[in-house]
Amino acid sequence: MNEQLARDVVLVKAIETTDQKREILSDDDRRYANRTARELAQWQASETKSAATPDHFLQQRSEQIIKKLAQRHPAFATFAKRRTGLHALAWLLPVLAFVLGAGLDRITDPHRVDLLSAPLLAIIGWNLLVYVIMLIWLCIPKAGVTRVRAGWIRRLSVGPSSLPRKMPHALSAALFAFMAEWGQLSARLNGARLARTMHLSAALFALGALASLYARGIMAQYGAGWESTFLDATQVHQLLSLLFWPALTLFPLQGFTLAEVQALHFASGAGATAAGARWVHLYAATLLLLVVLPRLVLAGVAALRAGWLARRFPLDVTQPYFRQLSDVAGGEAGMLRVLPYSFTLDEARARGLETVAVSLLGERAKVRLLPGVAYGADAPALADDAPVTLTAVLFNLAATPEKENHGAFLAAVVRTIRPATVLLDDSAFRARTPDAQRVRERVELWREFCIFHGAEPTVVDLLAPAGEVA
């Protein structure tokens, strides 16, 4: 699905999962949205002479719910139409960069080209440093987005953190949940967009500097020269030969000798009257080769990556929320395969799994309970059966998680079976531990343990599974 559809779907998901008391959307609202979405999805598919897909259903359903909420709450309509900060930044920052580059009054003196121009050398040196840092960053294993950059990306992804006034508290809480989730989901896409904007801005800043050089050269006669307290003519000649080597190699530009560089020293008096056009062309070609063209290439790569992600937004539709909607949409009934570890289920808990399957995969979900695995045993080889929608490893919350046993078993299942999750049955632990604080501590211990080994756990009470899963 594309970015806009994914955004609408995540927005509706945040509202429905937060609205447990049905303060925002009643059950009648949800049933109406389901029924209308099924009909519209079938009609949309028939227009293209293809079968209806889950994306069709999700698109129509999210549009129906957002339209309904926009009619009820004008403040929500304002939020739904909000554009992110990246839209303004994408054109404002490059334009500002060009203006700043063109307005640098001290690139050179009004009537001379400084061979050791600090602003031009700084532009070139900074961009070369950026290229080196990017290469190093690519070579670092698991190098990701820095915390500061990630914060900026999340901020730009969802716009201002404030919400419009006159909005119900439940709806405000849902929108805050949406902004947190969408900021994480769209981080890769908006990171590519931000990279495109930054590279384009750097290229336009250098182009602005070039425009300033040539525009001033039209109105004034440039003289060329150099001066330095610590460098002599030989060192300056070596530095300039290295700096201008790419331009002299690729373009038919006039070179320079050591004697010419020595004669252009301002102390000699010749630098003030020497023609500066040669040096303007050399700096312009160097900026073009070392700054403008590489930055435009990097901006193009980032733009292609952003376009690909925007058209194929990576939204995980294997979550229980989407599994339930797939069942509502008329898809195949979900199958929950349960693998108990060091846990023998009685008849009551086995029946409780059926209710858990419905809460995870929809009303028509079924359960396939596998034989339990003994403590310390290796994970069995599970066939990747097509009918299986989700594989769940079942642990007893009363047990203490051990890295060598529970952890190794869970890691082996997660590596070989996708998608996989964890169910934590707290019925036995709650029966013998009435202290709610101890229960919360044990749940948090197991949660951190499971996440470390690659799976997000779901806490259930198999003796009373009708309540909300945690």
Side-chain angles (χ1 to χ4, degrees):
M1 63 180 65
N2 60 37
E3 177 192 7
Q4 184 58 49
L5 173 56
R7 185 182 187 276
D8 291 345
V9 169
V10 174
L11 176 58
V12 172
K13 173 179 176 289
I15 293 172
E16 290 192 278
T17 54
T18 304
D19 184 28
Q20 298 293 336
K21 297 181 179 180
R22 304 302 194 262
E23 298 178 38
I24 306 172
L25 290 170
S26 65
D27 288 330
D28 289 339
D29 291 332
R30 302 182 192 213
R31 283 192 291 268
Y32 174 80
N34 293 337
R35 183 173 65 254
T36 306
R38 281 196 300 267
E39 296 173 355
L40 291 176
Q42 292 291 341
W43 177 81
Q44 183 181 6
S46 65
E47 288 292 315
T48 58
K49 298 181 180 179
S50 60
T53 64
D55 284 0
H56 290 144
F57 175 77
L58 290 174
Q59 176 184 359
Q60 299 297 338
R61 188 175 186 276
S62 60
E63 288 180 359
Q64 293 297 318
I65 292 178
I66 291 174
K67 185 185 301 183
K68 177 67 70 176
L69 291 178
Q71 294 172 350
R72 293 177 179 174
H73 309 285
F76 174 80
T78 301
F79 177 88
K81 296 177 182 178
R82 175 190 288 182
R83 298 177 70 86
T84 66
L86 281 173
H87 289 282
L89 193 68
W91 64 267
L92 180 61
L93 192 60
V95 171
L96 182 61
F98 181 83
V99 172
L100 290 177
L104 289 179
D105 294 330
R106 297 302 299 176
I107 284 182
T108 181
D109 287 342
H111 299 289
R112 83 180 195 188
V113 178
D114 192 346
L115 272 60
L116 299 178
S117 172
L120 293 179
L121 291 176
I123 293 173
I124 296 171
W126 168 253
N127 282 273
L128 293 178
L129 178 62
V130 169
Y131 304 152
V132 172
I133 293 175
M134 291 178 65
L135 288 175
I136 294 175
W137 202 249
L138 289 174
C139 297
I140 299 177
K142 298 183 180 180
V145 180
T146 62
R147 182 176 300 179
V148 175
R149 185 166 180 259
W152 272 101
I153 292 174
R154 284 194 297 270
R155 168 75 175 178
L156 294 171
S157 300
V158 297
S161 58
S162 60
L163 294 177
R165 297 181 179 180
K166 299 181 180 180
M167 189 177 296
H169 174 74
L171 186 55
S172 297
L175 296 185
F176 277 121
F178 160 74
M179 289 191 291
E181 184 175 6
W182 183 250
Q184 294 179 349
L185 292 175
S186 62
R188 289 177 58 198
L189 170 59
N190 289 308
R193 286 174 172 164
L194 185 60
R196 176 197 61 194
T197 300
M198 298 304 293
H199 290 310
L200 183 60
S201 299
L204 288 178
F205 185 83
L207 284 175
L210 294 181
S212 175
L213 275 176
Y214 280 105
R216 188 175 301 171
I218 294 174
M219 305 300 297
Q221 173 64 44
Y222 277 136
W226 65 277
E227 58 185 354
S228 175
T229 302
F230 302 105
L231 300 178
D232 56 28
T234 302
Q235 293 171 322
V236 172
H237 178 263
Q238 293 173 345
L239 175 63
L240 295 178
S241 298
L242 179 62
L243 178 65
F244 296 140
W245 174 78
L248 291 171
T249 302
L250 297 177
F251 296 107
L253 298 174
Q254 182 181 357
F256 49 88
T257 63
L258 175 59
E260 289 176 317
V261 172
Q262 189 169 9
L264 290 177
H265 195 286
F266 283 117
S268 67
T273 60
R278 178 203 307 186
W279 304 99
V280 171
H281 296 326
L282 284 173
Y283 263 114
T286 300
L287 284 172
L288 184 66
L289 290 174
L290 299 184
V291 180
V292 177
L293 291 180
R295 288 288 195 165
L296 289 178
V297 170
L298 291 172
V301 171
L304 290 174
R305 182 167 180 264
W308 190 90
L309 289 173
R311 292 188 300 271
R312 301 172 180 82
F313 194 88
L315 184 62
D316 182 13
V317 294
T318 63
Q319 301 174 35
Y321 171 84
F322 297 109
R323 294 292 185 187
Q324 292 177 344
L325 290 183
S326 176
D327 183 74
V328 171
E332 295 182 359
M335 173 66 72
L336 178 66
R337 179 170 57 184
V338 180
L339 179 61
Y341 178 81
S342 184
F343 191 5
T344 301
L345 274 71
D346 53 26
E347 185 177 352
R349 288 185 171 87
R351 287 197 305 267
L353 282 175
E354 297 177 359
T355 305
V356 172
V358 170
S359 66
L360 292 176
L361 303 179
E363 296 179 357
R364 297 184 295 147
K366 299 178 181 179
V367 177
R368 180 185 299 176
L369 181 60
L370 301 180
V373 177
Y375 174 81
D378 295 332
L382 300 178
D384 193 10
D385 297 335
V388 174
T389 306
L390 181 65
T391 299
V393 177
L394 178 62
F395 291 121
N396 190 343
L397 189 70
T400 301
E402 299 175 358
K403 179 180 179 181
E404 297 79 7
N405 296 297
H406 303 83
F409 179 83
L410 177 58
V413 173
V414 170
R415 280 196 308 269
T416 56
I417 300 297
R418 297 283 182 171
T421 188
V422 173
L423 296 177
L424 297 174
D425 177 35
D426 65 356
S427 57
F429 190 73
R430 287 183 182 276
R432 75 183 192 188
T433 309
D435 187 354
Q437 180 62 29
R438 286 192 59 192
V439 173
R440 286 194 295 270
E441 292 175 355
R442 178 59 64 91
V443 169
E444 188 60 29
L445 173 65
W446 267 102
R447 187 180 300 277
E448 293 179 358
F449 180 84
C450 293
I451 292 176
F452 177 79
H453 289 91
E456 179 74 28
T458 299
V459 181
V460 297
D461 185 344
L462 293 182
L463 294 181
E468 297 291 338
V469 294

